[in-house]
């Protein structure tokens, strides 16, 4: 995303990201965001009437990054490869991924009390679910995945497992490695059409 | 838990629970806790020097409720029955369960910035993981579960899936039904020793 003439500088949104990941939502202040974005509080006020409005714009900005990440594909990849690459990215433990998950957990905890935030988060969740479902559906059509697989249920269960693994990593520093291995094994055993099971190994 | 002469009234801890579930951690004030517990702020100050100390005592109190819930068993239950009953409780969607999950999500989002809270949450997570692992291990020994099952990995994956399903329910109002069905099916196919697979159906 680049700065448009009529939009807020991305520095403010990037500063919000860093402030959220360092202080959490409960202790987030406009001062933190101003400091992290190297912009004045008055400039932030110029673009945003309220913290809610800033967070809403921030979440739309973050959503673009998230969907780029979730939908990333290399040309000519099989559905198997797309699914395993996606899982690999989603279970990646590098620092920037953990920072992203921390920010998302902070925002998630506001959702029960903040309807606009909840609406944005529904979109994040749907982006992941729909991507998983699309790969699985395409894989069934191409013969890579077993026809007995229900794409909806498989995608939903994977979505929940991924969310839970992320929350545990961020909140209690539990590595996602073991869950990743188990999920890859599950995908290999359950989704693979007969004779295709070696693909994940 | 009953009021001990030297401990804080449980009303304060129950009030903290209600205040957290209604306002969230970010907007939680001592006034809210006082109002919800029908106790004065000065009485709360008498027992707790700080909000951190109150939250720590609250989480120990909540932990007792949580472990009672997780470890609940009826006499003579098979390991199968214990596992499926536990999953049924954990995927229950009634209002009090959703309230509990909301409170836990609020607390979870503090963990990245608050080490004492993180330590308490590690115990919540371990209680669930260890209970699942113990049932699966016992079920392998009794011949109910397949000997090829790795109790650690199965318990870890189930723990992550349960956490994720709870967070999605609380944050984006996504029903846990479909994940529950898929998990029960997974347990039936993967964990059951051959010939035992009908038990979950």
């Amino acid at each position: 995303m680049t700065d448009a003439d009529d939009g807020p500088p991305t520095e403010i949104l990037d500063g919000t990201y860093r402030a959220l990941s360092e202080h959490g939502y409960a202790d987030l202040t406009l001062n933190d965001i101003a400091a992290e974005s190297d912009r004045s509080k008055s400039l932030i006020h110029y673009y945003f009437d309220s913290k809610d409005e800033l967070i809403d714009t921030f979440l739309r900005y973050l959503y673009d990054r998230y969907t780029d990440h979730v939908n990333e594909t290399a040309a000519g990849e099989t559905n198997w490869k797309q699914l395993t690459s996606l899982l690999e990215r989603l279970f990646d433990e590098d620092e920037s991924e953990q920072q992203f998950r921390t920010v998302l957990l902070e925002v998630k905890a506001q959702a029960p009390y903040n309807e606009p935030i909840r609406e944005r988060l529904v979109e994040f969740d749907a982006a992941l679910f729909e991507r998983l479902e699309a790969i699985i559906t395409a894989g069934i059509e191409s013969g890579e995945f077993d026809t007995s697989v229900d794409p909806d249920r498989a995608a939903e269960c994977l979505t929940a497992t991924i969310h839970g693994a992320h929350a545990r990593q961020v909140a209690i520093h539990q590595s996602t490695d073991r869950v990743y291995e188990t999920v890859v094994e599950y995908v290999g055993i359950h989704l693979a059409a007969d004779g295709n099971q070696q693909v994940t190994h």
Side-chain angles (χ1 to χ4, degrees), chain A residues 4-73:
Chain A
D5 284 348
D6 54 353
T10 53
E11 283 81 0
I12 297 177
L13 304 176
D14 290 334
T16 305
Y17 184 83
R18 286 190 296 273
L20 260 177
S21 75
E22 273 171 42
H23 306 282
Y25 194 99
D27 294 321
L28 185 71
T29 66
L30 215 54
N31 279 331
D32 297 326
I33 296 171
E36 289 289 347
S37 59
D38 203 20
R39 292 293 182 279
S40 68
K41 273 174 71 174
S42 58
L43 185 77
I44 299 175
H45 277 304
Y46 173 81
Y47 285 107
F48 302 104
D49 285 337
S50 63
K51 187 176 168 186
D52 281 353
E53 206 184 291
L54 168 57
I55 294 294
D56 193 69
T57 305
F58 167 70
L59 286 178
R60 290 172 195 269
Y61 174 64
L62 203 64
Y63 179 77
D64 289 339
R65 283 179 51 172
Y66 184 66
T67 51
D68 286 350
H69 185 65
V70 163
N71 294 322
E72 194 183 311
T73 43

Side-chain angles (χ1 to χ4, degrees), chain A residues 4-5 13 22 24 26 43 47 61 81 92 94 96 103 128 133 143-144 154 160 171 190:
Chain A
D5 284 348
L13 304 176
E22 273 171 42
L43 185 77
Y47 285 107
Y61 174 64
K81 181 67 188 153
D92 190 336
D94 84 19
S96 76
V103 168
L128 175 57
E133 192 195 27
E144 294 166 82
H190 269 275

Side-chain angles (χ1 to χ4, degrees), chain A residues 128-199:
Chain A
L128 175 57
F129 170 79
E130 283 166 14
R131 172 76 174 131
L132 287 163
E133 192 195 27
I135 298 174
I136 296 168
T137 303
I140 293 170
E141 281 166 15
S142 71
E144 294 166 82
F145 298 144
D146 200 281
T147 50
S148 71
V149 172
D150 178 335
D152 268 25
R153 283 175 62 170
E156 177 113 17
C157 199
L158 284 170
T159 302
T161 307
I162 290 160
H163 278 280
H166 288 176
R168 292 175 81 227
Q169 180 190 44
V170 166
I172 64 163
H173 301 178
Q174 180 68 46
S175 164
T176 59
D177 280 354
R178 217 156 40 161
V179 176
Y180 173 61
E181 286 164 20
T182 311
V183 165
V184 168
E185 187 186 279
Y186 166 88
V187 161
I189 294 172
H190 269 275
L191 301 195
D194 289 342
N196 232 337
Q197 288 168 10
Q198 73 291 353
V199 184

Side-chain angles (χ1 to χ4, degrees), chain A residues 73-89:
Chain A
T73 43
E77 275 185 343
T78 62
N79 293 294
W80 260 116
K81 181 67 188 153
Q82 286 185 44
L83 182 60
T84 51
S85 300
L86 176 58
L87 291 173
E88 206 177 302
R89 290 199 300 282

